[in-house]
Amino acid sequence: MSFNRKDILGLQEMSREEIEYILDTAVPFKEITLRPIKKIPTLRGKTVINLFYEPSTRTRTSFELAGKRMSADVINISTSASSIVKGESLKDTALTLQALGADVVIIRHGMSGAPHLVGQTIKAGVINAGDGTHEHPTQALLDLYTIREKKGQVAGLKVAIVGDILHSRVARSDIWGLTKMGAEVVVAGPNTLLPPELQSLGIKACTNVEEAIKDADVIQVLRIQQERQEKGLFPSLREYSRLYGINHERLKYAAKDVLVMHPGPINRGVEITPDVADSNQSAILDQVTNGLAIRMALLYLLAGGGGEV
Amino acid sequence: MKILLKNGYVMDASQGIEGVKDIYIEDGRIAAVEKNIERAADQTVDVQGKYVIPGIIDMHVHLREPGYEYKETIATGTRSAAKGGVTSLACMPNTKPVIDQQATVEFVKNKAQLEGMVHVYPVGAITNGLQGERLTEIGDLKAAGIVAITDDGNPVMNGEKMRHAMEYAKMFELPVLSHCEDKNLAAHGVINEGRMSTLLGLKGMPAIAESIMVAREIMLSELTGAHVHVCHVSTAQSVEMIRRAKAAGLPVTAEAMPHHFALDETALHSFDTNLKVNPPLRRAEDVAAIKEGLRDGTIEVIATDHAPHAIEEKEVEFDNALFGISGLETLIPLVITELVHKGTLTFAQAIEKMTVNPARILGINKGTLKAGVEADITIIDLDQQKTVDVSQFASKGKNSPFHGWNLKGWPIMTIVSGKIVMKNGELV
């Protein structure tokens, strides 16, 4: 197939074929990341701009490194040191980046739909690096890549997503990606952190974590934010950890060879115990490595113009 | 100036008139509504095959002046009304300054007199500055010309204060217009809470944030005997509670907006900020309930909640976009296309909800073609088809989700106080 999207905004609108095409494209890039000399000339002369309205370590570094390894000029814009603090609108910022010759704009924003506005505004490709509580497509793609790499395939697996589903853009993108790829998805969290009508997405939702992870092949553990406790959505991290924390005791409910994933950053001892995070069953660092390959593949597909890898 | 409208199909519920008749207008007033009037006129207009009705009243409009003239002015808002076939409107008090003093009421009325193209009836605030604290001098405001009170958009969350407002307003026979929204339950939501808020990751406001306040207002109306008018009903629960309140004989009335019966929340898939409105677009079930409420008379008014905004207030992130739809110029075609042509309402029922009913609620001598009244007339072509084009709006607010919609049934003439102000869709 040919890939002809201008923007990567979410997995909701993507077909299974497109997702597989991206995952397949990432395979040779993963190999490049493991070479002693990791740089290729594919995007020489292209300009990639990281426009981050929210703090980020792994996603921003991952995109920056992906661009640099492919020889693109990569610019990082963090909002605290830009005209945004002078009140420049997102639309004007986007148009400015276009006028500067951006080929791909990678945007992270605290508000759902912000990358869509940028995508409609400029001709350059736009990659959503996380928008509000909407989607985080590159995270879901690297999750799918990791599952496929570790388990051979995604179809037929039972995947549990545990934590703050309501505020999680990772959960939403994972749900789309996993269901399209044929996995069975169960989400679990306290009622106050489950958004309404989840069942209409073709998944199961429950409040009991043991039920959710029973016989699961994969568990994706989501970060729990202190801020949500302050808003009264759950009483304490202590109780959250007791009810939903993933520890060795709980893992016994899952399949023997369960893969434990976490999009990071981890709150050790809150949603996941350190021994589980660091165990052989954990794929948390593989996720990070695979993220680089996925982001190189996406930059290649949006800006590479079909050159040799 | 004498105008003779010939051969139109005249409908006036206030007098039980329906049929082909001529209308003679003299010195700005209706002189006669009869068959075959043969009198000399300065202007004779043949409106055969068209519907001639009392001028449309829109009882929920934001004119934005004073204070937000960059969004709309009394001049542009009333031109928008005229273009949309609306001859009278009630304007909301959330201006800057708020309409909470006699002087502001007088400013709006004077400005409307000088620059307005249609009749303007100011609505006063319930509390000073819409702060929900101290009652405005409602008696003074009434003397200055307000027709109702409301803290529209800033609902009075304190039940005791609302109780006192109703008790006090009742002395002046003013209806209390309530924007029913429990701000705590709404919790800064930006769309309806449900499947779409889950999909889009946008903060949802639950339907019950509206319904629970409708319940409170109905109970306060029962306690105080005050006339409560529920603004922009958007949920099935609200419709059902209003239906029961009416059955119990309480002085409760209600209005619905075109966007709440023409659109449901699924339209939001694209993050189009022109669909951001408060109360939000709801589920298909709610839309069906509103249509049923309109059909069975539970909701007796259709109004627009015309809320013009500047482009830069909508071309932003969804969360940052302001709530509201510019509605005056799509009111009539949406009502006719979505409700009349699709069989929810007869044309006569639809017209009553925009003429006699709002006139009765606001206590204004409008919505009628009785001899002697100011000649406010709207003429409608039920079969005319046109595509909505916001660039042609007379309103400064181009924020309409209906841009590009092909609608059937448009106003072709607006007459205000005996003066033709709109003809064939163009302002005169």
Side-chain angles (χ1 to χ4, degrees):
Chain A
M1 69 168 276
S2 67
F3 189 88
N4 50 18
R5 280 187 185 273
K6 175 176 107 56
D7 307 320
I8 307 290
L9 300 176
L11 294 197
Q12 183 183 355
E13 58 267 27
M14 231 178 246
S15 68
R16 177 180 181 150
E17 289 69 33
E18 285 176 288
I19 292 170
E20 284 181 333
Y21 188 76
I22 294 168
L23 299 183
D24 292 343
T25 307
V27 173
F29 286 107
K30 167 113 189 214
E31 185 265 315
I32 291 164
T33 66
L34 302 173
R35 288 178 192 169
I37 304 295
K38 300 177 175 67
K39 206 166 177 106
I40 54 169
T42 315
L43 296 185
R44 189 184 291 155
K46 298 284 185 181
T47 304
V48 172
I49 296 185
N50 266 330
L51 178 61
F52 274 59
Y53 284 76
E54 276 188 338
S56 160
T57 308
R58 72 203 65 225
T59 306
R60 193 186 57 74
T61 311
S62 181
F63 269 114
E64 182 176 356
L65 216 44
K68 285 185 169 164
R69 294 224 164 136
M70 298 168 84
S71 306
D73 294 316
V74 182
I75 312 275
N76 290 314
I77 299 174
S78 72
T79 53
S80 57
S82 69
S83 290
I84 292 143
V85 293
K86 299 178 190 166
E88 185 170 63
S89 73
L90 180 58
K91 183 183 173 181
D92 284 323
T93 302
L95 289 170
T96 302
L97 300 181
Q98 168 157 289
L100 289 169
D103 294 293
V104 179
V105 174
I106 295 146
I107 175 171
R108 164 163 295 186
H109 200 290
M111 294 179 186
S112 303
H116 304 66
L117 176 62
V118 175
Q120 285 157 21
T121 305
I122 61 176
K123 292 187 197 78
V126 173
I127 299 179
N128 178 1
D131 65 322
T133 55
H134 177 228
E135 283 222 42
H136 192 350
T138 63
Q139 176 69 43
L141 287 165
L142 73 88
D143 291 337
L144 292 169
Y145 189 97
T146 305
I147 294 170
R148 201 171 77 159
E149 190 180 62
K150 296 280 181 187
K151 296 282 182 188
Q153 59 171 23
V154 178
L157 298 179
K158 177 176 175 181
V159 182
I161 305 174
V162 179
D164 179 0
I165 312 297
L166 178 63
H167 298 98
S168 177
R169 51 197 176 207
V170 175
R172 283 175 179 75
S173 288
D174 275 346
I175 289 167
W176 290 119
L178 288 163
T179 52
K180 282 171 202 262
M181 297 289 284
E184 176 196 349
V185 179
V186 184
V187 302
N191 261 334
T192 46
L193 295 176
L194 292 176
E197 300 190 42
L198 277 169
Q199 289 78 359
S200 73
L201 307 184
I203 64 169
K204 267 181 71 180
C206 61
T207 55
N208 182 305
V209 72
E210 282 89 9
E211 185 189 330
I213 66 176
K214 189 168 187 308
D215 301 326
D217 301 294
V218 180
I219 303 173
Q220 168 90 312
V221 188
L222 300 175
R223 175 183 164 78
I224 191 82
Q225 285 176 288
Q226 180 84 43
E227 183 196 331
R228 310 299 175 204
Q229 181 195 332
E230 284 150 18
K231 284 193 176 154
L233 290 166
F234 60 95
S236 69
L237 287 177
R238 187 186 147 277
E239 177 160 292
Y240 179 85
S241 181
R242 192 173 66 73
L243 292 174
Y244 293 97
I246 299 297
N247 51 38
H248 267 300
E249 205 50 42
R250 278 214 166 104
L251 275 191
K252 288 178 185 158
Y253 287 89
K256 258 197 160 43
D257 58 345
V258 64
L259 193 66
V260 178
M261 309 206 304
H262 191 302
I266 300 176
N267 292 311
R268 284 175 182 261
V270 182
E271 70 264 3
I272 188 167
T273 54
D275 53 339
V276 172
D278 299 335
S279 71
N280 291 335
Q281 288 169 302
S282 163
I284 295 172
L285 295 175
D286 300 283
Q287 288 173 277
V288 177
T289 311
N290 292 335
L292 191 53
I294 286 289
R295 288 167 183 130
M296 288 172 81
L298 290 173
L299 288 176
Y300 168 75
L301 290 172
L302 291 195
E308 280 297 301
V309 175
Chain B
M1 182 77 179
K2 300 176 181 69
I3 300 174
L4 179 59
L5 302 174
K6 292 290 288 179
N7 307 317
Y9 193 84
V10 179
M11 296 174 83
D12 178 8
S14 74
Q15 308 180 75
I17 292 177
E18 182 169 345
V20 176
K21 288 186 193 299
D22 298 344
I23 297 183
Y24 196 74
I25 300 165
E26 192 170 7
D27 299 328
R29 293 183 181 271
I30 304 275
V33 181
E34 288 160 21
K35 276 194 164 55
N36 304 318
I37 297 176
E38 301 290 344
R39 288 169 71 178
D42 303 301
Q43 197 173 353
T44 301
V45 187
D46 186 358
V47 287
Q48 189 173 7
K50 313 292 187 255
Y51 288 77
V52 181
I53 58 171
I56 296 286
I57 301 164
D58 183 351
M59 68 175 286
H60 196 136
V61 171
H62 296 272
L63 285 180
R64 305 299 190 201
E65 187 177 1
Y68 302 100
E69 291 83 357
Y70 68 96
K71 295 177 196 265
E72 191 82 289
T73 63
I74 290 168
T76 59
T78 55
R79 288 168 69 84
S80 177
K83 201 159 181 199
V86 171
T87 61
S88 293
L89 60 85
C91 61
M92 295 295 131
N94 61 340
T95 47
K96 197 167 76 181
V98 167
I99 305 180
D100 57 5
Q101 294 187 35
Q102 227 175 355
T104 324
V105 178
E106 280 161 8
F107 169 85
V108 171
K109 291 191 65 155
N110 289 339
K111 203 84 197 263
Q113 201 81 50
L114 288 169
E115 300 174 6
M117 202 171 242
V118 305
H119 304 291
V120 172
Y121 295 92
V123 176
I126 295 174
T127 62
N128 287 331
L130 307 176
Q131 295 298 306
E133 295 294 330
R134 292 179 61 128
L135 283 186
T136 55
E137 293 169 322
I138 295 170
D140 260 23
L141 296 178
K142 163 98 178 185
I146 64 162
V147 290
I149 56 169
T150 186
D151 272 6
D152 185 50
N154 282 41
V156 181
M157 281 301 298
N158 183 321
E160 189 200 22
K161 303 227 186 270
M162 192 54 150
R163 172 197 177 165
H164 291 152
M166 287 191 195
E167 287 171 337
Y168 201 75
K170 187 169 189 291
M171 298 193 298
F172 304 101
E173 293 181 346
L174 284 171
V176 178
L177 317 184
S178 178
H179 167 117
C180 292
E181 178 186 351
D182 181 316
K183 285 281 183 189
N184 299 113
L185 276 169
H188 305 291
V190 293
I191 65 171
N192 183 47
E193 180 181 287
R195 185 165 191 272
M196 290 312 289
S197 64
T198 294
L199 290 189
L200 297 173
L202 291 170
K203 180 100 177 81
M205 43 180 134
I208 199 171
E210 171 179 312
S211 316
I212 213 163
M213 287 294 264
V214 171
R216 185 193 80 170
E217 308 304 42
I218 288 171
M219 295 174 101
L220 285 174
S221 168
E222 185 172 16
L223 177 72
T224 62
H227 175 182
V228 169
H229 177 78
V230 180
C231 297
H232 37 55
V233 174
S234 74
T235 77
Q237 272 178 318
S238 301
V239 176
E240 182 51 31
M241 284 188 289
I242 294 162
R243 184 176 288 126
R244 278 189 259 152
K246 288 193 155 158
L250 299 179
V252 174
T253 56
E255 72 192 19
M257 276 47 193
H259 46 268
H260 286 134
F261 59 70
L263 290 165
D264 66 41
E265 61 169 4
T266 58
L268 277 156
H269 58 84
S270 62
F271 288 102
D272 179 358
T273 55
N274 285 324
L275 293 160
K276 184 173 172 181
V277 64
N278 188 12
L281 303 180
R282 305 282 191 189
R283 303 166 307 162
E285 299 93 295
D286 296 302
V287 172
I290 286 166
K291 287 185 176 171
E292 179 54 24
L294 285 163
R295 198 197 58 75
D296 74 9
T298 300
I299 301 170
E300 61 267 83
V301 170
I302 300 171
T304 61
D305 197 3
H306 178 74
H309 289 297
I311 289 170
E312 64 270 22
E313 292 170 327
K314 283 289 194 180
E315 274 189 342
V316 292
E317 300 87 337
F318 199 93
D319 286 344
N320 284 340
L322 298 182
F323 289 104
I325 289 172
S326 178
L328 277 166
E329 287 164 75
T330 50
L331 168 66
I332 291 173
L334 282 169
V335 167
I336 295 173
T337 305
E338 296 295 322
L339 298 178
V340 177
H341 288 317
K342 291 184 181 171
T344 301
L345 298 179
T346 64
F347 182 65
Q349 288 170 325
I351 294 313
E352 284 171 27
K353 292 181 196 296
M354 299 185 286
T355 54
V356 280
N357 294 352
R360 190 185 61 244
I361 289 167
L362 298 175
I364 58 178
N365 190 23
K366 293 288 173 190
T368 177
L369 299 173
K370 282 194 183 109
V373 302
E374 282 181 306
D376 295 339
I377 298 171
T378 303
I379 303 177
I380 292 173
D381 181 343
L382 278 183
D383 299 317
Q384 186 178 70
Q385 292 203 39
K386 268 198 313 196
T387 300
V388 177
D389 178 359
V390 295
S391 72
Q392 298 301 307
F393 277 10
S395 170
K396 285 190 182 183
K398 313 299 182 194
N399 48 306
S400 170
F402 301 108
H403 178 69
W405 281 38
N406 191 273
L407 300 175
K408 185 174 171 188
W410 290 77
I412 55 163
M413 187 176 283
T414 311
I415 300 174
V416 178
S417 299
K419 186 166 172 262
I420 297 172
V421 294
M422 184 276 279
K423 196 174 176 185
N424 299 325
E426 299 299 327
L427 294 172
V428 178

